[in-house]
Amino acid sequence: VDPTGRKDRTLERFKAAAQEAGVKMTHQRLEIFRELATTEEHPDAETLYRAVVRRVPTVSRDTVYRTLAMLGGLGLVTPLGPQREGVRFEANQEPHHHYVCVECGLVRDFESEELSRLRVPTAVTRLGTIEDAHVEVRGLCARCQRGREKPRSPSKSRGTSERSTS
Amino acid sequence: VDPTGRKDRTLERFKAAAQEAGVKMTHQRLEIFRELATTEEHPDAETLYRAVVRRVPTVSRDTVYRTLAMLGGLGLVTPLGPQREGVRFEANQEPHHHYVCVECGLVRDFESEELSRLRVPTAVTRLGTIEDAHVEVRGLCARCQRGREKPRSPSKSRGTSERSTS
DNA sequence: ATGGATGCAAACCATTTGCAGTGTA
DNA sequence: TACACTGCAAATGGTTTGCATCCAT
């Protein structure tokens, strides 16, 4: 399930992207990225840190956080779910789907007969029961497109994009 | 876009569920649920608190948190994304989908030609650009089913289920 | 009345930030 | 060699918890 060494290739892609973006390639960054690109898990920063610290005993949590932000900026790593300042909730129990803005974290429900009819591959049942299946669409919401006049989080620049063209 | 008052109905459902579950119906709980059931947003605890405190000036953040956990236990409210202790990341940039365990937060990728071909309704473009669309399947993972021998988070009982049958 | 629910304040934990030393380009 | 990157430690902000009081049942 990995004909050419996809992982090695991914590592090369990382090095190339880093060089192109003008960021330095350090031992830490390489190991952090390697760990994330290698694992089946979808670890949080702490878990990642614990894994990386085994190979690079001197890394600090800060570096993991900073590297993750940097990798996110390069588009090489994706944070799961909406970018939030906290866990978010909904009461809508009807079948529906989510639109999530990758910039400000806006979440909107939308309905779709077609999407709600989607068939989950039976192989998934090997992972566990299926309580719900819905589509998550990610993109840049209208407001954030509109010149970023009033982004939801004006201050904290969640290193998602900007960079380079300074 | 709400023929019968779906929201009123939802409130009734809440009261009924609360009574059946044997939890008390308080002013705070009612307002917290009402707020969440009414808004288009998918607020986090803090946002919810700020909205509710306008109607019930004495509520505390704690109550919001506790109520959200309680509502989650009753299945009336769903937290978005994987239940995490922190934001989680992935480096897999190939088209793929996610299986998420609602109990322990396990996340696994799976692939599906069919699901990856899904067509997002054009109406969604009104919300913003579409960078990615994938399916999120939620359920109880095999390990958590298996008698909850070694749940990922043995300690912290993320009030997801258990309750009642004490 | 009475036990569950609330509010307060302190505790906890994830994440961010300032600064001086370190290593890559 | 220079400047970005790292590690440390302190600050910040979300979330949880212990306890005395209060209120829905």
Side-chain angles (χ1 to χ4, degrees):
Chain A
V1 207
D2 189 8
T4 49
R6 192 177 75 203
K7 284 157 185 179
D8 292 341
R9 207 187 249 179
T10 302
L11 265 193
E12 290 314 313
R13 191 141 44 90
F14 171 36
K15 289 182 188 170
Q19 183 152 50
E20 186 181 343
V23 304
K24 291 180 178 173
M25 178 51 54
T26 66
H27 189 199
Q28 296 79 328
R29 286 178 174 179
L30 196 60
E31 289 305 330
I32 292 169
F33 183 76
R34 188 215 299 287
E35 180 62 31
L36 191 52
T38 298
T39 182
E40 289 282 293
E41 309 286 332
H42 293 65
D44 59 14
E46 176 67 19
T47 306
L48 206 43
Y49 165 73
R50 289 201 191 130
V52 172
V53 81
R54 267 182 274 148
R55 290 162 171 266
V56 190
T58 64
V59 279
S60 64
R61 267 167 260 263
D62 325 273
T63 298
V64 174
Y65 281 106
R66 280 189 279 229
T67 300
L68 284 171
M70 184 270 286
L71 290 171
L74 295 187
L76 294 173
V77 155
T78 313
L80 266 47
Q83 273 56 72
R84 54 186 63 152
E85 281 89 58
V87 179
R88 295 167 68 167
F89 302 84
E90 72 174 349
N92 183 356
Q93 301 292 308
E94 307 296 319
H96 67 277
H97 309 277
H98 285 151
Y99 177 86
V100 177
C101 176
V102 296
E103 174 94 4
C104 70
L106 167 108
V107 178
R108 280 285 129 80
D109 291 348
F110 68 88
E111 283 162 47
S112 163
E113 276 274 327
E114 189 187 344
L115 294 187
S116 294
R117 255 198 302 276
L118 51 79
R119 236 179 303 279
V120 176
T122 55
V124 173
T125 59
R126 248 176 295 165
L127 295 171
T129 66
I130 297 177
E131 290 183 10
D132 169 71
H134 68 270
V135 176
E136 179 176 303
V137 177
R138 312 186 124 239
L140 197 62
C141 78
R143 182 200 279 253
C144 286
Q145 286 177 67
R146 202 169 4 183
R148 287 103 199 266
E149 302 161 321
K150 299 180 189 173
R152 276 287 189 80
S153 318
S155 46
K156 310 183 182 178
S157 66
R158 274 281 192 171
T160 306
S161 50
E162 52 246 348
R163 219 173 210 314
S164 52
T165 54
S166 58
Chain B
V1 208
D2 191 8
T4 50
R6 191 176 75 205
K7 285 157 185 179
D8 291 341
R9 210 186 248 179
T10 302
L11 267 194
E12 290 314 313
R13 191 140 45 90
F14 171 36
K15 290 183 188 170
Q19 183 152 50
E20 186 180 344
V23 305
K24 291 180 179 173
M25 177 50 54
T26 67
H27 189 200
Q28 297 79 326
R29 286 177 173 180
L30 196 60
E31 290 302 331
I32 292 168
F33 183 76
R34 188 215 299 286
E35 180 63 31
L36 191 53
T38 298
T39 182
E40 290 282 293
E41 310 286 334
H42 294 63
D44 59 15
E46 177 66 19
T47 305
L48 207 42
Y49 165 73
R50 289 200 191 131
V52 171
V53 82
R54 269 183 272 147
R55 289 160 172 269
V56 191
T58 64
V59 280
S60 65
R61 267 167 259 261
D62 325 272
T63 299
V64 173
Y65 281 105
R66 280 189 279 229
T67 300
L68 284 171
M70 185 270 285
L71 290 171
L74 294 187
L76 294 172
V77 156
T78 313
L80 266 48
Q83 273 56 72
R84 53 184 66 149
E85 282 89 57
V87 179
R88 295 166 68 166
F89 302 84
E90 70 173 349
N92 183 355
Q93 301 292 311
E94 307 297 318
H96 67 277
H97 308 277
H98 286 151
Y99 177 86
V100 178
C101 176
V102 295
E103 175 95 4
C104 70
L106 166 109
V107 177
R108 279 284 130 79
D109 292 348
F110 68 88
E111 282 162 47
S112 164
E113 276 274 327
E114 189 187 344
L115 293 187
S116 294
R117 254 199 302 276
L118 51 80
R119 235 180 303 278
V120 176
T122 56
V124 173
T125 59
R126 248 176 296 166
L127 295 172
T129 66
I130 298 177
E131 290 183 8
D132 169 70
H134 68 270
V135 176
E136 178 175 303
V137 177
R138 314 186 121 238
L140 197 63
C141 78
R143 181 200 283 251
C144 285
Q145 286 176 68
R146 202 170 6 185
R148 286 101 199 268
E149 302 160 323
K150 297 183 190 172
R152 275 282 189 82
S153 319
S155 46
K156 310 182 184 180
S157 66
R158 276 278 194 174
T160 307
S161 50
E162 52 244 349
R163 210 167 218 318
S164 52
T165 55
S166 58

